[in-house]
């Protein structure tokens, strides 16, 4: 049995590519011996030049801004962004090298369409069925160095899904999807080189990765969907995003809440600042339906009694109780409490009041940390102040120490729908500069 093998070589003799050039004809002239099943690897730079993607730009940063859809991470002047093509990469793929001064080179507007055009052109020129991959150079998280990856493809199985099969020992393959197009791009980069002036390579011997029935997904299939991207943001961006995306959620699905996610949020909560090196936070987790019902029934009765003392009509009371049912609609409740262990007593009303306020602020910071961390866990939440109005009832039902002060309650669960967009707030309206 012959061992599997393939051959890869760079294509010499290609001229300097200019706007309007027919890349397929240039490649066919330089490498007329292409055969069915070959894979042609084309550096994106010459595709961009042929397609006129050179633009005047004295300021490369402005060009990056124009090509950016979303900033993923920023460190100094370096930006990792999602660009118009949906690719997450440094500087949106804007290239200021090998292009005249005062200009920059943008990536092809539609790299998959570019690959299809080259493939069709080679079929017309040489009568061959080949795969075509448009490549570009990427850095990668957690790995030093650069490598070429596929940003456009035609006639190539860009992903080889092995899930459902077994390995050599009979173990089931549950998560193995091979990025075939990226592996081919990297193989071509070994012979093209970064500075050798060889922008095209050919791989022969892997005809099984070309052709195929059905629609051609192109290299777009290699881009991970946002919902599956566990590393969608850099560290500081993720913090800002979690804060910005935190919403008060009032409608929840019936899906269970992962207790581990709530405990991770508590771990974030207790990193908040606090006076005198104290730990003024306690979080009571109501994980059983019985515990939630017992607390909420007792709180409802206490609220109704308060409203009756205020002289509210029974109809008004019923409406208020219905509106306040957000805690009942949640599959998980948390009651944050403040404790003042370690607080100072001064015997002076003004100073003692300020001491208590410090602890209240620290408790609020812990609750905010908790809410933001829940958002980071993709859990919806709503902070409701109701337990603060019936602290004795809450302590009695939950059997809490007398010194624990309930500071509201947090409803937790999967949001039943997309929250409404928050209106823009002008930061200047909240800032006073002296």
């Amino acid at each position: 049995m012959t061992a599997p093998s393939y051959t890869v070589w760079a294509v010499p003799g290609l001229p300097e590519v200019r706007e309007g050039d027919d890349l397929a004809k240039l490649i066919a002239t330089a490498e007329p011996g292409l055969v069915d099943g070959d894979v042609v690897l084309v550096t994106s730079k010459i595709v961009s030049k042929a397609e006129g993607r050179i633009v005047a730009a004295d300021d490369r940063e402005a060009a990056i801004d124009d090509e950016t859809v979303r900033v993923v991470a920023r460190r100094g002047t370096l930006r990792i962004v999602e660009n118009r093509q949906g690719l997450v990469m440094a500087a949106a793929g804007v290239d200021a090298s090998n292009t005249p001064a005062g200009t920059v080179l943008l990536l092809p507007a539609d790299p998959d369409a570019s690959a299809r055009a080259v493939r069709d052109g080679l079929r017309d020129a040489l009568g061959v069925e080949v795969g075509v991959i448009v490549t570009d150079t990427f850095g990668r998280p957690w790995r030093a160095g650069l490598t070429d990856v596929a940003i456009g493809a035609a006639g190539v199985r860009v992903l080889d899904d092995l899930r459902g099969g077994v390995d050599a020992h009979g173990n089931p393959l549950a998560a193995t999807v091979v990025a075939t197009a990226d592996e081919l791009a990297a193989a071509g980069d070994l012979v093209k080189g970064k500075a050798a002036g060889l922008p095209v390579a050919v791989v022969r011997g892997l005809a099984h990765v070309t052709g195929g029935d059905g629609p051609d997904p192109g290299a777009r299939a290699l881009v991970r969907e946002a919902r599956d991207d566990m590393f969608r943001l850099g560290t500081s961006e993720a913090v800002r995003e979690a804060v910005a995306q935190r919403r008060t959620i009032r409608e929840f699905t019936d899906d269970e809440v992962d207790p581990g996610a709530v405990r991770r949020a508590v771990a974030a909560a207790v990193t908040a600042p606090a006076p005198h090196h104290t730990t003024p936070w306690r979080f009571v987790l109501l994980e059983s339906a019985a515990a939630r019902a017992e607390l909420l029934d007792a709180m409802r009765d206490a609220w109704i009694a308060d409203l009756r003392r205020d002289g509210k009509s029974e109809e008004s009371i019923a409406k208020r109780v219905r509106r306040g049912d957000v805690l009942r609609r949640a599959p998980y409740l948390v009651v944050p409490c403040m404790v003042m262990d370690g607080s100072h007593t001064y015997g002076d009303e003004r100073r003692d009041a300020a001491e208590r306020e410090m602890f209240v602020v620290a408790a609020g910071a812990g609750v905010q940390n908790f809410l933001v961390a829940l958002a980071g866990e993709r859990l919806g939440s709503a902070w409701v102040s109701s337990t603060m109005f019936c602290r004795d009832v809450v302590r009695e039902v939950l059997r809490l120490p007398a010194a624990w002060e309930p500071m509201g309650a947090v409803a937790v669960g999967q949001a039943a729908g997309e929250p409404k967009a928050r209106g823009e707030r002008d930061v200047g309206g909240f800032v006073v500069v002296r």
Side-chain angles (χ1 to χ4, degrees), residues 184-226:
L184 290 165
D189 191 41
L190 290 173
V191 294
K192 286 189 297 177
K194 299 300 180 190
L198 298 169
V200 176
V202 178
V203 174
R204 180 169 293 168
L206 299 176
H208 64 281
V209 306
T210 65
D213 299 325
D216 190 340
R220 182 72 192 188
L222 291 160
V223 178
R224 196 183 298 276
E225 297 289 343

Side-chain angles (χ1 to χ4, degrees), residues 70-397:
R70 176 177 64 90
V71 175
V72 174
R74 183 194 303 268
R75 182 170 295 174
T77 58
L78 175 63
R79 279 183 284 173
I80 306 298
V81 307
E82 179 183 346
N83 65 13
R84 295 177 183 274
Q85 293 81 1
L87 302 168
V88 175
M89 60 190 308
V94 175
D95 194 345
S97 62
N98 294 312
T99 185
T103 67
V104 294
L105 194 62
L106 310 181
L107 289 178
D110 184 346
D112 284 330
S114 302
R116 289 193 296 271
V118 172
R119 184 179 188 234
D120 292 344
L122 290 172
R123 182 192 299 116
D124 293 342
L126 300 175
V128 293
E129 292 291 345
V130 298
V132 173
I133 294 176
V134 177
T135 71
D136 199 65
T137 302
F138 271 46
R140 298 147 302 146
W142 310 295
R143 305 288 289 179
L146 305 171
T147 186
D148 266 19
V149 302
I151 66 168
V156 176
R157 286 203 324 237
V158 296
L159 292 167
D160 190 6
D161 191 346
L162 303 179
R163 291 173 297 182
V166 296
D167 64 17
H169 298 281
N171 300 311
L173 298 174
T176 305
V177 181
V178 178
T180 304
D182 283 349
E183 292 183 329
L184 290 165
D189 191 41
L190 290 173
V191 294
K192 286 189 297 177
K194 299 300 180 190
L198 298 169
V200 176
V202 178
V203 174
R204 180 169 293 168
L206 299 176
H208 64 281
V209 306
T210 65
D213 299 325
D216 190 340
R220 182 72 192 188
L222 291 160
V223 178
R224 196 183 298 276
E225 297 289 343
R227 65 178 180 273
D228 299 324
D229 188 352
M230 295 177 66
F231 309 100
R232 188 164 172 77
L233 294 167
T235 303
S236 61
E237 290 76 16
V239 172
R240 288 196 297 271
E241 180 78 3
V243 172
Q245 293 303 313
R246 190 209 62 76
R247 296 285 192 278
T248 296
I249 303 299
R250 299 186 181 278
E251 298 294 338
F252 301 94
T253 69
D254 294 330
D255 295 335
E256 292 186 0
V257 172
D258 175 14
V262 177
R263 284 163 173 77
R264 290 192 292 273
V266 171
V270 300
T271 65
H276 314 315
H277 305 290
T278 58
T279 55
W281 321 276
R282 303 292 186 271
F283 290 84
V284 184
L285 311 182
L286 278 67
E287 296 184 341
S288 75
R292 294 193 295 273
E294 182 183 7
L295 174 65
L296 295 177
D297 288 347
M299 288 173 59
R300 178 196 58 202
D301 294 344
W303 188 19
I304 290 173
D306 283 346
L307 292 171
R308 284 175 176 159
R309 281 193 294 271
D310 293 340
K312 303 297 182 184
S313 69
E314 292 303 312
E315 181 181 1
S316 173
I317 290 172
K319 287 182 179 179
R320 289 168 182 262
V321 170
R322 283 196 300 272
R323 286 200 302 269
D325 263 356
V326 60
L327 295 178
R328 289 190 183 274
R329 294 193 290 272
Y332 197 109
L333 291 183
V334 178
V335 178
C337 297
M338 178 181 74
V339 297
M340 295 190 61
D341 296 349
S343 62
H344 296 174
T345 301
Y346 299 96
D348 175 273
E349 183 177 342
R350 175 183 58 82
R351 296 173 71 190
D352 287 343
E355 180 79 2
R356 175 177 173 78
E357 287 175 359
M358 287 196 302
F359 277 76
V360 171
V361 169
V367 171
Q368 171 70 354
N369 274 12
F370 181 64
L371 298 176
V372 171
L374 289 174
E377 295 281 352
R378 299 296 185 260
L379 287 170
S381 65
W383 176 80
V384 180
S385 62
S386 53
T387 69
M388 301 171 71
F389 292 87
C390 55
R391 284 173 169 151
D392 288 341
V393 171
V394 176
R395 281 191 287 260
E396 180 181 355
V397 172

Side-chain angles (χ1 to χ4, degrees), residues 397-433:
V397 172
L398 298 181
R399 299 176 295 282
L400 302 179
W404 288 27
E405 298 190 42
M407 304 295 285
V410 180
V412 183
Q414 299 289 343
E418 286 294 321
K420 294 181 180 178
R422 180 183 287 127
E424 290 292 328
R425 293 175 178 174
D426 179 12
V427 174
F430 303 92
V431 173
V432 175
V433 179

